[in-house]
Amino acid sequence: MSEKTMEEKQVIHQLNRYKQIQARIQVLDHYPIGAGLTMRWLNQDDKLQALHQRLRGMPSYKYLTKHEQKLEKAANAYLSKQRTGLKSQLAEIPKEAENEEDEMLLAELRGKIKKVIAARGYDDTKNDFDAVLDRITELQYLQEELSQIDTILMALECYKPNLSKLLRLRYVEGETVEETISLLGIVERTYKRWRKQAIEQYIILSA
């Protein structure tokens, strides 16, 4: 058998991590954030992203006050739109700006993030604020990775269901080659051909 390419190894590694990612998300969901609350409640209760999706097509002046529009303008001027996760966004907020008014607006943005956490039962005086942000960022990242895997496998299933099923059985479920061949009802030669095609299609779809 030929040596696996780097891309093939990456695909297999990502699929093999599927159940581990699920387990880690479950652990993070139950991480305590104070007042008897867990990360699961915090994550599910956060409606900011959903609100942003609903309002994306509307001009901001229709739903923001004049002061909120100033905050939005400052955020757009100083923060990268590519940043995801609360910690990375918070860390990116500079302490110095082009003028005193912007500095005050950016300070207010930092304060709002901390107030959201505090209002949900988290005590910032415990010096564990960064720990919560770390876990929020990790949870968001893992959820995105899991969603990406599911999206690729479902897309593959639409036009090559056998290839998608092979990847799920062999690498997500962890079945042996023999078990996968038996469950698919094929011979080893067909398995080898399908496996090669499945990896190739996964790489194409994930590009």
Side-chain angles (χ1 to χ4, degrees), residues 90 93 105-116:
L90 184 63
I93 299 177
L105 291 170
L106 293 176
E108 184 176 347
L109 284 174
R110 283 193 297 271
K112 282 182 178 295
I113 294 176
K114 294 184 179 182
K115 285 181 180 179
V116 168

Side-chain angles (χ1 to χ4, degrees), residues 18-194:
Y18 188 93
K19 287 188 177 297
Q20 182 185 33
I21 293 171
Q22 282 185 321
R24 181 57 180 164
I25 288 175
Q26 186 176 6
V27 171
L28 289 171
D29 273 345
H30 291 84
Y31 180 81
I33 59 173
L37 302 176
T38 64
M39 284 275 293
R40 183 179 183 85
W41 178 87
L42 176 64
N43 189 52
Q44 290 180 342
D45 190 60
D46 193 345
K47 301 297 190 299
L48 295 178
Q49 186 173 1
L51 178 62
H52 176 71
Q53 293 292 335
R54 291 199 300 272
L55 300 178
R56 179 176 291 176
M58 296 173 58
S60 60
Y61 68 82
K62 288 189 175 182
Y63 57 87
L64 296 181
T65 65
K66 288 189 179 298
H67 182 67
E68 289 170 337
Q69 289 176 48
K70 287 184 178 181
L71 284 172
E72 179 192 43
K73 185 177 180 180
N76 289 335
Y78 293 95
L79 305 183
S80 168
K81 294 182 180 179
Q82 304 301 321
R83 293 284 186 177
T84 58
L86 289 176
K87 184 178 181 182
S88 59
Q89 291 173 353
L90 184 63
E92 191 186 8
I93 299 177
K95 293 184 178 180
E96 297 183 357
E98 294 180 359
N99 53 67
E100 186 176 347
E101 182 182 10
D102 282 358
E103 288 182 5
M104 292 177 64
L105 291 170
L106 293 176
E108 184 176 347
L109 284 174
R110 283 193 297 271
K112 282 182 178 295
I113 294 176
K114 294 184 179 182
K115 285 181 180 179
V116 168
I117 299 295
R120 291 169 179 173
Y122 183 77
D123 184 2
D124 194 24
T125 62
K126 294 179 181 177
N127 296 321
D128 285 336
F129 183 68
D130 284 341
V132 172
L133 290 180
D134 280 339
R135 283 163 176 79
I136 290 174
T137 302
E138 182 184 359
L139 180 59
Q140 292 175 337
Y141 175 81
L142 292 176
Q143 288 172 332
E144 288 174 4
E145 186 175 358
L146 202 65
S147 177
Q148 180 190 35
I149 296 172
D150 283 330
T151 298
I152 295 172
L153 290 176
M154 286 189 291
L156 181 58
E157 188 176 0
C158 289
Y159 68 99
K160 293 288 184 179
N162 289 331
L163 302 188
S164 179
K165 187 175 182 180
L166 184 151
L167 292 178
R168 286 189 183 277
L169 287 172
R170 179 70 183 95
Y171 299 114
V172 174
E173 299 299 329
E175 303 288 357
T176 64
V177 172
E178 292 75 16
E179 289 169 334
T180 303
I181 289 173
S182 176
L183 290 168
L184 291 173
I186 56 178
V187 297
E188 185 176 357
R189 181 183 301 174
T190 302
Y191 167 81
K192 290 180 179 179
R193 186 175 73 253
W194 282 10

